[in-house]
Amino acid sequence: MDLMDKIVSLCKRRGFIFQSSEIYGGLSNTWDYGPFGVELKNNIKRAWWKANVYQRSDILGMDAAILMHPKVWEASGHTANFFDLKSDCKSCKKRFKTEDLKGKTKCPECGGELTEGRPFNLMFKTHQGPIEDDANIIYMRPETAQGMFVNFLNILDSRHPKLPFGLAQIGKSFRNEITPGNFTFRTREFEQMEIEYFVRPEEADKKLEEWIEYRFNWYLELGIKKEGLRKRPHGKEELAHYARACTDIEYSFPFGWSELEGIANRTDFDLRQHSKVSGKDLVYFDEVKKERLTPYIIEPSGGIDRSVLAFLVDAYSEEKVKDETRLVLKLHRDLAPVKVAVLPLLKNRQEIVDMARALTQDLKKSFITVYDDTAAIGKLYRRQDEVGTLYCVTVDVQSLEDKQVTVRDRDTMKQDRIAIEKLKEYVSDKLNK
Ligand code: ATP
């Protein structure tokens, strides 16, 4: 089985990611996050928010609506420019992104004749309100960025930030992708984490470089292996219509090096366009220099679903332990969905079960903790390893007398005997190391 198949199977088996609407045969390329998936995803969002909003003093958070005034997409250029070219096979009817065909004129699947590349707008279109006519067309946002640009004046007026400053937002975006695939890597509904960082135009090149480093290191600090991460500057021909320069952070997925995040210099394109189309002056007044200016924007834009996938792939490991293979998800401690699992060694001794349950309740006040007594200890450990649980605490007969428990470390499998009254402190120290 190749690594992607193993990841997909682990995700389903252990409750990370399921196929959407599976009981109806599934909706293709759409995925639901299960109990551990949502925790991992939330932990990634939390780590991102912490590094970019809480630990900096130049970035403010936001949460704009998914639905926006249609003029936004006219101004941003998405109505006119957010196209991919698609080619259809006249025989088997399969659809391809023209750029993926690399000049081929015959269908790669059946050899049939292909249509010329035809533009296909990637925005999902629907109608607002009960009347389905052109006056009521509304789009599902294809990026969260525009919600931040159109609030530029609100932010200046309410918070008075000084340049350089940024806005940060996490939220869903939608693109009617022609070729979704590779599990959660390319889907039509996905979540983005984006920063719009406003700078003086002459500082844009320098700030772009700083952001590329800052964002690259974020992935490394959360445990992604160095050899699995690289920076790839865009060639001029692949830049988006609004960008002057862009560097992708790519991860070495089992299906090849692919984009995790793009960091672009969007220039003053968006603020100028919105000023022009809305008639409102989206400018910044520099009080020291007594100067009005339209800032440039540096945009680090990452995908949460792609991050989840990269962290899963990177953490997946199979180790030989005696004659068995131990499957363990070595997720960073901040990302692991469960921090502690409490496992009673004998489930038919009521005092042990009671003690383990009471301990679980108490630990839950401080850490994400689960309780499991539904199998023999070997199997319980295996289950916890597969979801990346950091510490397994076993309660045994001895615990009833000495009020101590055994704590097993996920990565080293080393076991420590710890007094129950010291357990929280012990786990806390390890988590905050
Ligand atoms: P790609 O070239 O892979 O389609 P992109 O360059 O169009 O991506 P951006 O517009 O730069 O992507 O979007 C920023 C981030 O949003 C990407 O780095 C990616 O992590 C995420 N993203 C974009 N499109 C999708 C998608 N269809 N599915 C999942 N994540 C996506």
Side-chain angles (χ1 to χ4, degrees), residues 35-55:
F36 291 127
V38 67
E39 296 299 338
L40 174 56
K41 205 177 185 197
N42 284 341
N43 288 343
I44 292 173
K45 293 186 205 176
R46 214 170 283 129
W48 184 89
W49 198 265
K50 189 168 148 194
N52 294 300
V53 181
Y54 295 149
Q55 292 183 340

Side-chain angles (χ1 to χ4, degrees), residues 82 84 97 99 122 142-143 173-175 177 180 184-194 219 232 234 238 240 242 246 248-249 258-264 266 299-307:
F82 199 50
D84 272 344
K97 220 165 145 174
E99 108 185 35
L122 298 175
E143 58 176 25
S173 292
F174 302 81
R175 295 181 190 177
E177 300 276 2
T184 53
F185 180 82
R186 188 183 307 285
T187 51
R188 296 190 170 110
E189 170 182 345
F190 54 95
E191 225 169 339
Q192 290 186 305
M193 36 194 187
E194 295 196 298
Y219 292 99
R232 192 183 66 80
H234 278 207
E238 57 174 326
Y242 49 74
C246 183
D248 285 346
I249 296 178
S258 308
E259 173 180 342
L260 267 184
E261 170 160 350
I263 300 136
R266 290 182 79 126
E299 177 192 68
S301 169
I304 293 165
D305 311 83
R306 286 188 189 179
S307 279

